[in-house]
Amino acid sequence: MKPNSKVIRKAKQGWETVQPKVYKTAGTSFKDITRFSLLGEGENEHELNMQTRVFRVLEGGYSSLEYHRHPHSVMIIEGKGSVILGDEVHDLNTFDVVYISPETLHQFHADKGAPLSFLCVVDRYRDRPAVPDEKMLDEIMGDSEARRKARL
Ligand code: MN
């Protein structure tokens, strides 16, 4: 059997053989974010139990505010920004690592005058993200910096 090992080369924009994808389908709010699915969704990558993606957020953009049962393993690989984790906001710099545990509300912001790119590893089989409503935000975040930063 032919082995499926390979190298995916970095290109000027993104990676060779990897098409940038729309971030997500309707129903969530996000701004200026592109998804690169590097490993785990392609042909001959079925051996992987996880999927490795890179998200690139342009300056001023942000990811969906969401929560779900599956955890995220994240490393910042370019730029800087911040992340909402529940009722907390954390500044992020390149090579910082973030663990997002199950059911934790989270949202990445490129709000520090630079783009923010992060590597994100997830289980292949995972639940769909859910989006909170205003009432849930008030309950979880109260009158916090996180609540003021959150974009629904
Ligand atoms: Mn998520």
Side-chain angles (χ1 to χ4, degrees):
M1 198 172 74
K2 188 170 173 288
N4 293 323
S5 303
K6 62 182 167 182
V7 172
I8 301 172
R9 300 281 176 199
K10 184 74 178 72
K12 197 165 186 186
Q13 300 275 337
W15 286 261
E16 289 176 4
T17 73
V18 177
Q19 290 298 317
K21 292 186 175 157
V22 293
Y23 174 60
K24 220 170 266 187
T25 49
T28 63
S29 173
F30 52 87
K31 184 171 182 282
D32 294 336
I33 177 165
T34 307
R35 177 168 69 100
F36 298 89
S37 181
L38 299 182
L39 287 173
E41 289 184 13
E43 249 180 86
N44 301 324
E45 295 166 2
H46 54 275
E47 299 97 337
L48 278 170
N49 291 323
M50 75 289 279
Q51 293 178 344
T52 301
R53 305 90 49 84
V54 163
F55 296 88
R56 187 163 201 274
V57 190
L58 298 182
E59 182 184 343
Y62 48 85
S63 63
S64 299
L65 182 66
E66 61 177 34
Y67 63 99
H68 37 69
R69 187 60 213 161
H70 64 271
H72 284 312
S73 175
V74 171
M75 178 186 272
I76 310 306
I77 60 170
E78 179 202 11
K80 51 190 174 175
S82 63
V83 64
I84 295 171
L85 295 175
D87 63 352
E88 301 173 354
V89 180
H90 299 266
D91 289 346
L92 296 173
N93 288 295
T94 307
F95 303 132
D96 285 347
V97 172
V98 184
Y99 175 57
I100 302 173
S101 68
E103 310 294 353
T104 302
L105 264 179
H106 54 282
Q107 184 171 50
F108 288 87
H109 289 259
D111 58 352
K112 297 285 188 285
L116 177 72
S117 295
F118 57 94
L119 187 77
C120 179
V121 179
V122 285
D123 291 341
R124 168 185 292 270
Y125 300 105
R126 58 187 185 276
D127 58 324
R128 286 188 163 278
V131 178
D133 56 20
E134 297 276 355
K135 183 166 168 282
M136 186 180 174
L137 286 194
D138 289 340
E139 283 169 9
I140 291 174
M141 296 177 167
D143 180 27
S144 62
E145 183 192 356
R147 180 68 184 87
R148 291 186 289 276
K149 182 176 281 290
R151 293 286 169 272
L152 253 186

